[in-house]
Coordinates of all heavy atoms in Angstrom, one line a residue:
L1 N -20.7 -2.2 -7.5 CA -19.6 -1.4 -7.4 C -18.8 -1.5 -8.7 O -18.7 -2.6 -9.3 CB -18.7 -1.9 -6.2 CG -19.3 -1.7 -4.8 CD1 -18.4 -2.4 -3.8 CD2 -19.6 -0.3 -4.5
S2 N -18.1 -0.5 -9.1 CA -17.3 -0.5 -10.3 C -16.1 -1.3 -10.1 O -15.6 -1.4 -9.0 CB -17.0 1.0 -10.8 OG -16.1 1.6 -9.9
T3 N -15.5 -1.7 -11.2 CA -14.2 -2.3 -11.1 C -13.2 -1.3 -10.6 O -12.2 -1.7 -10.0 CB -13.8 -2.9 -12.5 OG1 -13.8 -1.8 -13.5 CG2 -14.6 -3.9 -12.9
R4 N -13.3 -0.1 -10.9 CA -12.3 1.0 -10.4 C -12.5 1.0 -8.8 O -11.3 1.1 -8.2 CB -12.7 2.3 -11.0 CG -11.9 3.5 -10.4 CD -10.6 3.4 -10.8 NE -9.8 4.6 -10.2 CZ -8.7 4.4 -9.5 NH1 -8.2 3.2 -9.5 NH2 -8.1 5.4 -9.0
T5 N -13.6 0.9 -8.3 CA -13.7 0.9 -6.9 C -13.1 -0.3 -6.2 O -12.3 -0.2 -5.2 CB -15.2 0.9 -6.4 OG1 -15.8 2.0 -6.9 CG2 -15.4 0.8 -4.9
I6 N -13.2 -1.5 -6.8 CA -12.5 -2.7 -6.3 C -11.0 -2.5 -6.5 O -10.2 -3.0 -5.6 CB -13.1 -4.0 -7.1 CG1 -14.6 -4.1 -6.8 CG2 -12.3 -5.2 -6.7 CD1 -15.0 -4.2 -5.4
A7 N -10.6 -1.9 -7.6 CA -9.2 -1.8 -7.8 C -8.6 -0.8 -6.7 O -7.4 -1.0 -6.4 CB -8.9 -1.1 -9.2
K8 N -9.3 0.2 -6.3 CA -8.8 1.1 -5.2 C -8.6 0.3 -4.0 O -7.5 0.6 -3.3 CB -9.9 2.2 -5.0 CG -9.9 3.3 -5.9 CD -10.9 4.4 -5.5 CE -10.9 5.5 -6.4 NZ -11.9 6.6 -6.0
I9 N -9.4 -0.6 -3.6 CA -9.2 -1.5 -2.5 C -7.8 -2.2 -2.6 O -7.0 -2.2 -1.6 CB -10.2 -2.5 -2.2 CG1 -11.6 -1.8 -2.0 CG2 -9.9 -3.5 -1.1 CD1 -12.8 -2.6 -2.1
G10 N -7.5 -2.8 -3.7 CA -6.3 -3.5 -4.0 C -5.1 -2.6 -4.0 O -4.0 -3.0 -3.5
K11 N -5.3 -1.3 -4.4 CA -4.1 -0.4 -4.4 C -3.9 0.4 -3.1 O -3.0 1.3 -3.0 CB -4.4 0.6 -5.6 CG -4.2 0.0 -6.9 CD -4.5 1.0 -8.0 CE -4.4 0.4 -9.3 NZ -4.7 1.4 -10.4
G12 N -4.9 0.2 -2.2 CA -4.8 1.0 -0.9 C -5.1 2.4 -1.0 O -4.7 3.3 -0.3
E13 N -6.0 2.7 -2.0 CA -6.5 4.1 -2.2 C -7.8 4.3 -1.5 O -8.6 3.3 -1.2 CB -6.8 4.4 -3.8 CG -5.5 4.3 -4.6 CD -5.8 4.4 -6.0 OE1 -6.9 4.8 -6.4 OE2 -4.8 4.2 -6.8
K14 N -8.1 5.5 -1.2 CA -9.3 5.8 -0.3 C -10.6 5.6 -1.2 O -10.7 6.1 -2.3 CB -9.3 7.2 0.2 CG -10.4 7.5 1.2 CD -10.1 8.8 1.9 CE -11.2 8.9 2.9 NZ -11.0 9.9 3.9
L15 N -11.5 5.0 -0.6 CA -12.9 4.8 -1.2 C -13.8 5.9 -0.8 O -13.5 6.6 0.3 CB -13.6 3.5 -0.7 CG -13.0 2.2 -1.1 CD1 -13.8 1.1 -0.5 CD2 -12.8 2.0 -2.5
S16 N -14.8 6.3 -1.5 CA -15.7 7.3 -1.1 C -16.4 6.8 0.1 O -16.7 5.6 0.3 CB -16.7 7.6 -2.2 OG -17.7 6.5 -2.4
N17 N -16.9 7.7 0.9 CA -17.7 7.4 2.1 C -18.9 6.6 1.7 O -19.4 5.6 2.4 CB -18.1 8.6 2.8 CG -16.9 9.2 3.6 OD1 -15.9 8.5 3.9 ND2 -17.0 10.5 3.9
R18 N -19.6 7.0 0.6 CA -20.8 6.3 0.2 C -20.5 4.8 -0.2 O -21.2 3.9 0.4 CB -21.3 6.9 -1.1 CG -22.6 6.5 -1.6 CD -23.2 7.1 -2.8 NE -23.3 6.1 -3.7 CZ -23.1 6.2 -5.1 NH1 -22.7 7.3 -5.5 NH2 -23.2 5.2 -5.9
S19 N -19.4 4.5 -0.8 CA -19.1 3.1 -1.1 C -18.7 2.4 0.1 O -19.1 1.2 0.3 CB -17.8 3.1 -2.1 OG -18.1 3.6 -3.3
L20 N -17.9 3.0 1.0 CA -17.5 2.3 2.2 C -18.7 2.0 3.1 O -18.8 0.9 3.7 CB -16.6 3.2 3.0 CG -15.8 2.6 4.2 CD1 -15.0 1.4 3.7 CD2 -15.0 3.6 4.9
I21 N -19.7 2.9 3.2 CA -20.9 2.7 4.1 C -21.8 1.6 3.4 O -22.3 0.8 4.1 CB -21.7 4.0 4.2 CG1 -20.9 4.9 5.1 CG2 -23.1 3.8 4.7 CD1 -21.4 6.4 5.1
K22 N -21.8 1.6 2.1 CA -22.5 0.6 1.4 C -22.0 -0.9 1.6 O -22.7 -1.7 2.0 CB -22.5 0.8 -0.1 CG -23.4 0.1 -1.0 CD -23.4 0.7 -2.4 CE -24.4 0.2 -3.3 NZ -24.3 0.8 -4.7
I23 N -20.7 -1.0 1.6 CA -20.0 -2.2 1.9 C -20.2 -2.6 3.3 O -20.5 -3.8 3.7 CB -18.5 -2.2 1.6 CG1 -18.3 -1.9 0.1 CG2 -17.7 -3.3 2.0 CD1 -16.9 -1.5 -0.4
A24 N -20.0 -1.7 4.2 CA -20.2 -1.9 5.6 C -21.7 -2.4 6.0 O -21.7 -3.4 6.7 CB -19.9 -0.7 6.5
E25 N -22.6 -1.9 5.4 CA -24.0 -2.3 5.7 C -24.2 -3.7 5.0 O -24.9 -4.5 5.7 CB -25.0 -1.3 5.0 CG -25.1 0.0 5.7 CD -26.0 1.1 5.1 OE1 -26.4 0.9 3.9 OE2 -26.2 2.2 5.7
Y26 N -23.6 -3.9 3.9 CA -23.8 -5.2 3.3 C -23.2 -6.4 4.2 O -23.8 -7.4 4.3 CB -23.2 -5.3 1.9 CG -23.2 -6.6 1.2 CD1 -24.3 -7.1 0.6 CD2 -22.0 -7.4 1.1 CE1 -24.5 -8.2 0.0 CE2 -22.1 -8.6 0.4 CZ -23.3 -9.1 -0.1 OH -23.3 -10.3 -0.8
L27 N -22.0 -6.1 4.7 CA -21.3 -7.0 5.6 C -21.8 -7.0 7.1 O -21.4 -7.8 7.9 CB -19.8 -6.7 5.5 CG -19.1 -6.9 4.2 CD1 -17.7 -6.5 4.2 CD2 -19.2 -8.4 3.8
G28 N -22.6 -6.0 7.5 CA -23.1 -5.9 8.8 C -22.1 -5.6 9.8 O -22.1 -5.9 11.0
V29 N -21.2 -4.6 9.4 CA -20.1 -4.1 10.3 C -20.1 -2.6 10.2 O -20.6 -1.9 9.3 CB -18.7 -4.7 10.0 CG1 -18.7 -6.2 10.1 CG2 -18.3 -4.3 8.6
K30 N -19.4 -2.0 11.2 CA -19.2 -0.5 11.1 C -18.1 -0.2 10.0 O -17.1 -0.9 9.9 CB -18.7 0.0 12.4 CG -19.7 -0.2 13.6 CD -19.3 0.4 14.9 CE -20.4 0.2 15.9 NZ -19.9 0.7 17.1
P31 N -18.2 0.9 9.4 CA -17.3 1.3 8.3 C -15.8 1.4 8.9 O -14.9 1.0 8.1 CB -17.8 2.6 7.8 CG -19.3 2.7 8.2 CD -19.4 1.8 9.4
E32 N -15.6 2.0 10.0 CA -14.4 2.1 10.5 C -13.6 0.8 10.8 O -12.4 0.9 10.9 CB -14.3 3.1 11.8 CG -15.2 2.5 12.9 CD -16.7 3.0 12.9 OE1 -17.1 3.6 11.8 OE2 -17.3 2.9 13.9
L33 N -14.3 -0.3 10.8 CA -13.6 -1.6 11.0 C -13.1 -2.1 9.7 O -12.3 -3.0 9.6 CB -14.7 -2.6 11.6 CG -15.2 -2.3 13.0 CD1 -16.1 -3.3 13.4 CD2 -14.0 -2.2 13.9
L34 N -13.5 -1.6 8.6 CA -13.1 -2.1 7.3 C -11.8 -1.5 6.8 O -11.0 -2.1 6.0 CB -14.1 -1.8 6.2 CG -15.5 -2.5 6.5 CD1 -16.5 -2.0 5.4 CD2 -15.4 -3.9 6.7
M35 N -11.4 -0.4 7.2 CA -10.2 0.3 6.8 C -9.5 1.1 7.9 O -10.0 1.5 8.9 CB -10.5 1.2 5.6 CG -11.4 2.4 6.0 SD -11.6 3.7 4.7 CE -10.4 4.8 5.3

């Protein structure tokens, strides 16, 4: 993930669905539980 994507998390900006799904799969959770 880019530093910009990580910065978006810190700023409360919306991530792309692709990034959110990628993170959810890595953590083994549903995307809707992350945000």
Side-chain angles (χ1 to χ4, degrees):
L1 299 173
S2 70
T3 55
R4 173 70 184 127
T5 298
I6 299 303
K8 283 183 174 185
I9 294 168
K11 293 179 181 179
E13 296 176 8
K14 188 169 182 163
L15 296 180
S16 70
N17 285 338
R18 191 179 116 216
S19 293
L20 191 62
I21 290 168
K22 194 175 194 179
I23 294 168
E25 287 175 352
Y26 177 76
L27 296 173
V29 298
K30 293 182 180 183
E32 56 269 15
L33 296 178
L34 299 179
M35 61 169 266

